[in-house]
Amino acid sequence: MSASPSASASESESRGGSERRFGEYVVVRRDGHIAELVLDRPRAMNAVSTDMARSIAAACAALAADPEVRVTVLTSSHDRAFCVGADLKERNSFTDAELLRQRPTARAAYTGVLELPMPAVAALHGFALGGGFELALACDLIVADATAVVGLPEVSVGVIPGGGGTQLLPRRVGAARAAELVFTARRVAAAEARELGLVDELAEDARTGALALAARIAANSPVGLRAAKRALRLGQGLDLRAGLEVEDAAWRSVAFSGDRAEGVAAFNEKRQPRWPGE
């Protein structure tokens, strides 16, 4: 499959810089300190093609480099799907060598979301299957509405979850529950997904609920948010003593920051903080 122009080269801006397109299939919208990364391949229910994977990675790199973004929310432009996973029609056209060459591009999309330095929230409306659910699992929090259906069905087509699912799902729901979900390839509707911990909140509308959650998060110190995320992520899987060292390093990175000084001053002066973000 021939490569399209790089996602970064095809970026465009409109509405005074509030919207930026990465390639053909990803849009990033900004509203204050909240960024919305929109999966925008509606004709394919946001199936992740090579070009779309490249665009997701480029958008995440741009967001990671922007100190003004305090929260990123992943949404979809499709009315029936968040993302249905890898583009199997494209995959069916690959030779084995082409599939192997495409693997780093695919991984970069999921890693890009996973390594966002600010809190990330996924808004699940409709199907979030395979790689689509893995994009959500790469976020810190998942908000869904009643239409959401999630699952990792990869073994039913002869592969395994390859976008982080075998590692991220057990961290959410435990090893045995993750094994049951991966081995059976079953789809889980919203209510059960909430009970199992596959999603964190149910809302009347996933996007509205996720953006409201993002607004509550974004009211806090950007320096504190990034350091807290770093401590939470790096401490996973460590023994308590090692985890506390990770926490201490994160604390030291914020203890003498402008945000810490402003936060303490605002508390004592009984006013809302004006975060310098440094």
Side-chain angles (χ1 to χ4, degrees), residues 101-239:
R101 283 197 298 271
Q102 192 252 9
R103 175 63 174 163
T105 301
R107 286 195 68 187
Y110 300 99
T111 302
V113 176
L114 185 65
E115 294 184 351
L116 285 169
M118 75 292 291
V121 182
L124 303 190
H125 176 84
F127 296 109
L129 301 173
F133 189 40
E134 288 173 303
L135 288 172
L137 290 172
C139 295
D140 302 288
L141 295 164
I142 302 174
V143 177
D145 60 32
T147 70
V149 177
V150 306
L152 297 176
E154 284 87 347
V155 298
S156 69
V157 293
V159 291
I160 69 165
T166 65
Q167 304 306 304
L168 294 171
L169 188 60
R171 285 165 166 79
R172 267 194 163 263
V173 300
R177 177 62 68 193
E180 183 264 323
L181 292 166
V182 171
F183 294 161
T184 63
R186 72 182 178 96
R187 300 180 179 190
V188 182
E192 185 185 3
R194 176 66 182 87
E195 291 177 3
L196 297 179
L198 299 172
V199 304
D200 301 300
E201 291 188 12
L202 291 181
E204 185 174 343
D205 176 77
R207 178 177 178 272
T208 300
L211 289 172
L213 176 58
R216 296 197 298 273
I217 295 170
N220 297 305
S221 158
V223 171
L225 288 171
R226 292 184 180 221
K229 176 165 180 171
R230 209 161 52 241
L232 286 164
R233 286 291 180 89
L234 294 178
Q236 286 183 357
L238 300 179
D239 63 56

Side-chain angles (χ1 to χ4, degrees), residues 22 29 47 64 74 77 86 88 97 115 117 119 142 161 163 169 179 247 267:
F22 292 79
R29 300 190 180 115
L74 267 67
S77 65
L88 296 185
E115 294 184 351
I142 302 174
L169 188 60
E247 181 181 84
F267 177 83

